[in-house]
Amino acid sequence: MNIELNNCSVRSYRITDVESITLNANNRNISKNMRDGFPYPYTLENGKWFVEHSMSLNPETNFAICVDDVAVGGIGFVLHSDIERVSAEIGYWLGEPYWGRGIVSQAVKAVTEYAIKTHGLTRVFAVPFAYNRGSARVLEKAGFVLEGTMRRSAIKDGQVLDQLLYAYVV
Ligand SMILES: CC(C)(COP(=O)(O)OP(=O)(O)OC[C@H]1O[C@@H](n2cnc3c(N)ncnc32)[C@H](O)[C@@H]1OP(=O)(O)O)[C@@H](O)C(=O)NCCC(=O)NCCS
């Protein structure tokens, strides 16, 4: 998969992405906003496992966000099953030096459209922590609508947190 956007691209992972993914992912300002599966510190071993795992997935659901074809972030979706097989959850992160350029807003829009088209979905949703204003803004810019607050639905670093439920439906 390869989608060219204004100032970035979203493409399939390559084994040569391990170093730049690790370098950009190894950041507490990123990991603190992610699920616990996204470690800190983020080691080369973590990067290698993740890139290889993503390359092995069929269908492909994890992609690199690239600037000048260098992988500096990640975006992916989890396809749900059974009666929720028309739904998927999207997640994303970007290396801190690249924040504020509109990159992830564009990437979320493009990958949402890709997921809907490729998998016949009716809904893509995301659940940022309620305090994560940057992520909420990304979702709004990508056309997602706030459906509500999932009160006290998650625990991160020992703190119970609210999550916002955003969805894009067709
Ligand atoms: C959240 C994140 C993905 C945003 O990526 P990005 O490429 O910088 O996002 P964009 O530039 O497309 O848009 C960010 C928007 O949020 C706004 N924003 C950023 N931080 C903000 C804050 N603290 N409060 C309010 N708005 C904020 C920006 O101003 C921008 O909106 P604008 O274009 O209207 O000015 C990136 O900061 C990141 O990787 N954060 C850590 C991981 C994370 O939070 N992942 C999401 C988990 S749900």
Side-chain angles (χ1 to χ4, degrees):
M1 184 264 232
N2 184 25
I3 305 174
E4 293 292 334
L5 299 164
N6 275 347
N7 49 5
C8 65
S9 63
V10 177
R11 64 152 170 79
S12 304
Y13 279 104
R14 301 172 188 149
I15 196 62
T16 47
D17 294 332
V18 169
E19 223 167 294
S20 58
I21 282 294
T22 303
L23 184 75
N24 283 283
N26 187 29
N27 182 340
R28 185 76 191 117
N29 292 332
I30 295 175
S31 69
K32 72 180 183 194
N33 293 302
M34 305 291 286
R35 289 175 185 271
D36 287 345
F38 192 104
Y40 183 80
Y42 195 108
T43 65
L44 265 178
E45 202 176 298
N46 296 138
K48 186 167 181 289
W49 180 86
F50 182 75
V51 169
E52 284 179 351
H53 167 72
S54 300
M55 289 171 66
S56 76
L57 293 177
N58 184 18
E60 210 181 8
T61 50
N62 287 340
F63 305 97
I65 300 176
C66 303
V67 173
D68 298 329
D69 209 33
V70 177
V72 296
I75 186 162
F77 52 88
V78 177
L79 294 165
H80 282 221
S81 59
D82 203 295
I83 57 165
E84 288 175 350
R85 62 190 178 276
V86 288
S87 292
E89 179 181 354
I90 193 164
Y92 42 82
W93 65 274
L94 182 69
E96 194 165 356
Y98 305 92
W99 291 3
R101 299 186 192 177
I103 289 177
V104 177
S105 302
Q106 277 187 61
V108 166
K109 195 164 195 295
V111 172
T112 297
E113 283 164 8
Y114 169 87
I116 288 169
K117 202 168 149 202
T118 310
H119 298 285
L121 306 179
T122 56
R123 172 183 175 88
V124 175
F125 69 95
V127 284
F129 293 134
Y131 73 76
N132 192 346
R133 300 313 306 157
S135 183
R137 182 77 190 119
V138 159
L139 293 163
E140 280 159 13
K141 289 205 296 178
F144 284 60
V145 172
L146 179 63
E147 294 186 337
T149 301
M150 297 160 60
R151 294 178 302 155
R152 294 176 62 74
S153 55
I155 183 160
K156 184 72 186 179
D157 299 326
Q159 230 192 322
V160 174
L161 297 171
D162 294 350
Q163 293 177 284
L164 301 179
L165 176 58
Y166 273 93
Y168 183 103
V169 304
V170 290

